[in-house]
Amino acid sequence: MKARYSVIVPMFNEEEVIQITYERLKKVMDDCGDSYELVFVNDGSRDRTAEIMRGISSRDEHVKLIDFSRNFGHQVAITAGMDYAEGQAVVVIDADLQDPPEVILQMIAKWKEGYEVVYAKRLKRHGETFFKKVTAKIFYRLLSSMTSVEIPTDTGDFRLIDRKVCDVLRGLKEKNRYVRGLVSWVGFRQTMVEYVREERFAGETKYPLKKMIRFALDGITSFSHKPLKIASYIGFFLSFSSFIYLFLVLFQKVFTSWTVPGWASIVGVNLLFNGIVLMLLGVIGEYIGRIYDESKDRPLYIVRETKGYPDAEIEDTRKESDYAR
C-alpha cells in the first residue's frame, strides 16, 4: 500500500542531528494515524550522514534513502525527493530541526480542509544573527516587489503540497531552481500556518553568505526580468545625461572663453561610466549564464544508491511526470 504522506528531508553533513530528526519525525507521523514514508535525500554529504541513514532504513520500513553521487544543492535535493515521493500529501522539511516537525500536523489539518499548498510562515527566528535576519527580510520584500508572482514573505521551503501540485512541479525542467517560488507560480489553493523558528539543534548552517547570495540571485532571476529593465532604464538615463552634458561642453567651448582643462574630471567620469557599464553587463551575464545552463540539458541530479525502494534501480535522470511535460 502506498503511503498517504511523504516527508522529504534534504541532508548535507547532518550526522550530529539526523538521528534526533528521524526520531521526532517518526513520532509526529505515527501520531497522524495514517500510512507515511520518510524520504531522506543525501546531497553528497562528506560525513557519516548516509551511513547513519542506511542503518535506520534497514530497521524502519517507513524510511527511504536517496543518495546522490555528489553535492547537487539543496533545491535539487528537494526536487529529487518530490520525484520519488509516493504520498497524496508531500511535506518538505530541513534536517536541522529549526523547523519543528510538530507543525506538520497543523499542515495536514489544513490539507484535509481542502487546501492544496500549506506553507509555514515564521513569526520569529531564534538563533540567527542580526545580519541574517535583516538581509533575509530585505530579500523577501525585494523579491516580492520585483516579481509578478506573489511569493509569501518570511517563508522557507517548509511546506505541504498536494499530490497534483507535486506532479506539476516534477514536470518543470529548469536547472536553477527556486522551489518556494515555483510552488507559488503553479497556483492552486494556498494557505499558511504560523510558527516560531527554533535555533539549529546541532552542526553548522549550510547557507553561508556566498550560498545565500547565489540563492537570492536564483530567486530573482527565475521570477523577474526587472533587473534587465532596470539596466535598460539606467543605460537610457546615462545616455540622455551624456547628451545634455555634450551640449553644455559645446556651449562653453563656442560661446565662452572659460573651459576647464584637466585630466581629473575626465578620468573620474570615465571610471564612473565604465563601472556602471560593467555592472549592467554583469546583470545581463547572470541571465545569459542561466540560459547556458538550460541549453546543456544535463540531468538535474545523479543517484548513486537508493534504500527502501525494493524494485528501484539507480537512476541518472529525473522521472518523467504525468503533468506539464
Side-chain angles (χ1 to χ4, degrees):
M1 183 177 63
K2 287 188 176 182
R4 189 178 188 194
Y5 302 114
S6 297
V7 181
I8 300 169
V9 188
M11 310 176 295
F12 179 65
N13 294 341
E14 300 287 3
E15 65 176 0
E16 297 179 49
V17 68
I18 198 62
Q19 179 68 38
I20 303 299
T21 300
Y22 157 71
E23 291 173 1
R24 284 183 62 179
L25 282 172
K26 180 175 175 59
K27 182 179 185 305
V28 168
M29 298 312 296
D30 283 343
D31 290 343
C32 78
D34 249 315
S35 58
Y36 68 90
E37 62 177 357
L38 305 178
V39 182
F40 289 86
V41 185
N42 180 40
D43 186 22
S45 297
R46 293 186 292 269
D47 60 5
R48 297 180 57 251
T49 299
E51 178 185 342
I52 293 171
M53 288 314 306
R54 287 190 194 98
I56 294 174
S57 179
S58 64
R59 298 190 300 270
D60 188 343
E61 62 180 4
H62 295 105
V63 176
K64 314 285 182 66
L65 172 64
I66 303 167
D67 189 15
F68 283 176
S69 62
R70 65 170 178 84
N71 178 255
F72 285 92
H74 179 262
Q75 300 295 288
V76 175
I78 293 174
T79 302
M82 291 182 180
D83 287 345
Y84 280 81
E86 298 178 345
Q88 293 304 304
V90 179
V91 178
V92 178
I93 184 171
D94 287 340
D96 55 17
L97 292 179
Q98 285 187 280
D99 300 327
E102 292 74 19
V103 178
I104 294 175
L105 297 178
Q106 299 177 41
M107 293 180 174
I108 291 174
K110 290 289 185 181
W111 175 67
K112 289 180 177 179
E113 292 176 12
Y115 292 100
E116 293 150 321
V117 176
V118 185
Y119 55 85
K121 183 172 183 177
R122 306 162 183 145
L123 293 177
K124 294 181 181 179
R125 302 164 66 110
H126 294 316
E128 295 183 352
T129 64
F130 175 77
F131 174 77
K132 186 167 183 178
K133 290 178 181 178
V134 170
T135 52
K137 191 170 185 177
I138 292 173
F139 164 68
Y140 287 121
R141 281 146 186 81
L142 176 64
L143 180 62
S144 178
S145 67
M146 295 184 72
T147 62
S148 57
V149 178
E150 186 178 348
I151 301 175
T153 58
D154 301 320
T155 62
D157 294 309
F158 185 28
R159 62 191 61 215
L160 177 149
I161 61 175
D162 186 80
R163 177 79 257 164
K164 63 174 72 73
V165 180
C166 183
D167 287 339
V168 171
L169 290 172
R170 286 172 53 193
L172 304 179
K173 305 298 185 181
E174 56 200 79
K175 310 298 181 185
N176 297 286
R177 302 181 72 81
Y178 184 67
V179 173
R180 64 195 71 167
L182 292 174
V183 173
S184 297
W185 180 83
V186 299
F188 296 96
R189 295 187 61 198
Q190 305 199 9
T191 189
M192 70 172 181
V193 295
E194 295 178 328
Y195 77 109
V196 176
R197 197 171 203 223
E198 302 295 337
E199 186 175 355
R200 184 180 177 85
F201 183 82
E204 299 178 351
T205 178
K206 303 307 183 293
Y207 268 98
L209 181 60
K210 182 178 178 180
K211 283 191 175 182
M212 285 174 59
I213 293 173
R214 183 67 184 177
F215 187 59
L217 287 174
D218 284 342
I220 292 173
T221 55
S222 294
F223 292 93
S224 176
H225 295 148
K226 282 190 178 180
L228 290 174
K229 292 182 179 179
I230 292 171
S232 300
Y233 296 152
I234 292 175
F236 176 80
F237 174 75
L238 292 177
S239 298
F240 181 76
S241 301
S242 300
F243 189 70
I244 297 298
Y245 183 69
L246 176 60
F247 270 101
L248 178 62
V249 171
L250 291 175
F251 177 83
Q252 288 182 340
K253 183 67 176 178
V254 175
F255 297 103
T256 70
S257 58
W258 182 78
T259 57
V260 183
W263 61 271
S265 58
I266 297 174
V267 170
V269 170
N270 281 336
L271 289 175
L272 173 64
F273 280 80
N274 288 338
I276 293 173
V277 169
L278 289 174
M279 179 189 71
L280 301 183
L281 288 176
V283 172
I284 296 170
E286 283 292 332
Y287 283 91
I288 294 175
R290 281 157 174 75
I291 294 171
Y292 175 64
D293 284 341
E294 299 295 331
S295 67
K296 288 185 290 188
D297 198 29
R298 292 175 182 169
L300 198 57
Y301 57 83
I302 299 173
V303 176
R304 177 174 57 189
E305 179 187 16
T306 60
K307 291 289 185 183
Y309 296 93
D311 301 320
E313 297 179 353
I314 296 177
E315 300 185 22
D316 60 357
T317 59
R318 296 174 58 196
K319 293 181 177 180
E320 289 293 329
S321 170
D322 294 331
Y323 297 83
R325 291 196 176 189

